[in-house]
Amino acid sequence: MEYRVLRVLVTGGLGFIGSEVARLCHKHGDDVHVIIRPGTADERLDALPAGVMAHRVDLTDLEDVTSVVTSHRPVAVVHAASSPAHPATPEERIAAWRDDVIATVTLLEALRRQPPQRLVHIGSSLVYRPSPEPLHESSPLAPETLRGVVKLAAEAAVRQWAAETGVPSVVIRPFSVYGPGADQGRVIPVLLLALRTRMPFAMVSDESRRDFVHITDVARCVTQVMSSPVADGRVLNVGTGIETSIKELVAVAERVTGTAAVTAPNSHRGTPPQRPHWCADPSLAEELLGWTAEVSLKEGLGMLWDMDR
């Protein structure tokens, strides 16, 4: 039976995906609480809509996480907290295991004491083995990076917990998400900055391909999953199903902005992995939820360009 979510808890509430989910839930009229990192500056809270309650909590602290869960009693939990990027140092690699795996296990233990009606876990497409074909949820799992490995480990913890507790759970695997609030070191913000400043765009191989999906489409899929049982127990790819090379991305951005890019192919190592093919098969989300990506790459780039004018 479908229900309307009334109380929502979002971890990573000031992160790229978590903050957009929190805003959309609030727009729908939900009672939204978010968990954010301790030490978060007060001014960053201005990014949240008025009425969204923020809790500065270390997600590896079982007592504090349990306190938030038992006091708010969420109907749905969206676990969007994650390590910030591909780790490159010993400290960052250790932090990735803590922030993705230990934090997930701690949250799940807290939720045993106050089980929600549904858990939505934000995973990653990095768990898949590279393939020249669009990646389906049943495609082989063989992550090539540490970030992919810890994401897969966190997914495994969620599935085991769901099997034990019986709480309906869904894993979302987004592809290359872009939009307002993205890390400024990602390819699209770097490209738009280069176009705006007329500086060279240091790029990875121009034939590296990705499936770029707008953040609003990702958040819309998450909220649909939250309020419907049809995807319970499933993994869902969230992407457009369209593969775009970096060369093609530059061409679209040039048309949108009316600015010619100065490119320097193969001059940037980029974030791993750089693949000749990386594309979602999002047909299961469409079959179960009627969800498809609505924001085209041209539209998404145009919105970002206009925001900074």
Side-chain angles (χ1 to χ4, degrees), residues 6 8-14 18-36 42 44-56 72:
L6 297 176
V8 181
L9 177 64
V10 182
T11 70
L14 285 176
S19 61
E20 187 67 22
V21 170
R23 282 190 287 270
L24 187 54
C25 289
H26 181 266
K27 183 178 180 180
H28 290 168
D30 299 328
D31 176 14
V32 184
H33 287 231
V34 298
I35 289 179
I36 62 176
D42 287 344
R44 289 200 61 199
L45 299 182
D46 293 340
L48 294 172
V52 172
M53 180 66 70
H55 305 268
R56 289 183 174 89
H72 182 45

Side-chain angles (χ1 to χ4, degrees), residues 57-304:
V57 172
D58 182 344
L59 272 176
T60 65
D61 187 319
L62 179 59
E63 182 178 351
D64 284 353
V65 177
T66 300
S67 177
V68 172
V69 169
T70 55
S71 62
H72 182 45
R73 302 172 65 87
V75 172
V77 174
V78 179
H79 181 36
S82 177
S83 54
H86 290 278
T89 67
E91 294 77 15
E92 289 172 349
R93 287 189 283 271
I94 292 169
W97 284 99
R98 180 188 66 237
D99 294 343
D100 280 282
V101 181
I102 302 303
T104 297
V105 171
T106 303
L107 173 66
L108 295 173
E109 286 301 318
L111 293 176
R112 286 180 188 267
R113 308 179 190 190
Q114 183 62 56
Q117 293 183 28
R118 182 164 290 112
L119 169 68
V120 183
H121 175 75
I122 308 300
S124 171
S125 66
L126 292 174
V127 300
Y128 290 116
R129 176 189 297 167
S131 170
E133 302 298 325
L135 293 158
H136 187 268
E137 289 82 359
S138 61
S139 296
L141 305 178
E144 294 184 316
T145 64
L146 177 58
R147 185 169 176 80
V149 169
V150 297
K151 285 291 190 181
L152 186 56
E155 273 193 27
V158 169
R159 286 194 292 270
Q160 186 267 340
W161 173 87
E164 281 193 358
T165 62
V167 174
S169 302
V170 182
V171 172
I172 299 293
R173 290 179 183 155
F175 277 65
S176 295
V177 189
Y178 73 100
D183 182 343
Q184 293 304 293
R186 295 188 181 188
V187 63
I188 286 180
V190 170
L191 170 59
L192 293 181
L193 179 62
L195 288 168
R196 198 173 300 281
T197 59
R198 306 300 176 94
M199 297 294 290
F201 173 47
M203 57 194 292
V204 297
S205 167
D206 58 8
E207 289 305 319
S208 176
R209 293 177 177 273
R210 305 182 190 182
D211 183 338
F212 293 102
V213 58
H214 197 270
I215 182 63
T216 58
D217 282 327
V218 176
R220 182 168 52 83
C221 184
V222 172
T223 57
Q224 285 183 240
V225 166
M226 287 165 54
S227 58
S228 172
V230 296
D232 288 347
R234 309 296 289 268
V235 173
L236 294 180
N237 285 338
V238 177
T240 65
I242 300 170
E243 195 175 56
T244 303
S245 72
I246 302 302
K247 182 178 181 179
E248 292 165 342
L249 172 66
V250 171
V252 174
E254 288 178 324
R255 290 196 297 271
V256 167
T257 64
T259 305
V262 179
T263 61
N266 302 308
S267 64
H268 192 295
R269 187 178 59 155
T271 56
Q274 301 300 329
R275 300 184 173 108
H277 298 281
W278 198 250
C279 185
D281 174 350
S283 57
L284 184 59
E286 181 175 11
E287 175 188 338
L288 296 179
L289 299 167
W291 177 92
T292 57
E294 294 179 351
V295 180
S296 71
L297 184 57
K298 180 181 178 181
E299 292 168 332
L301 293 178
M303 288 188 286
L304 285 172

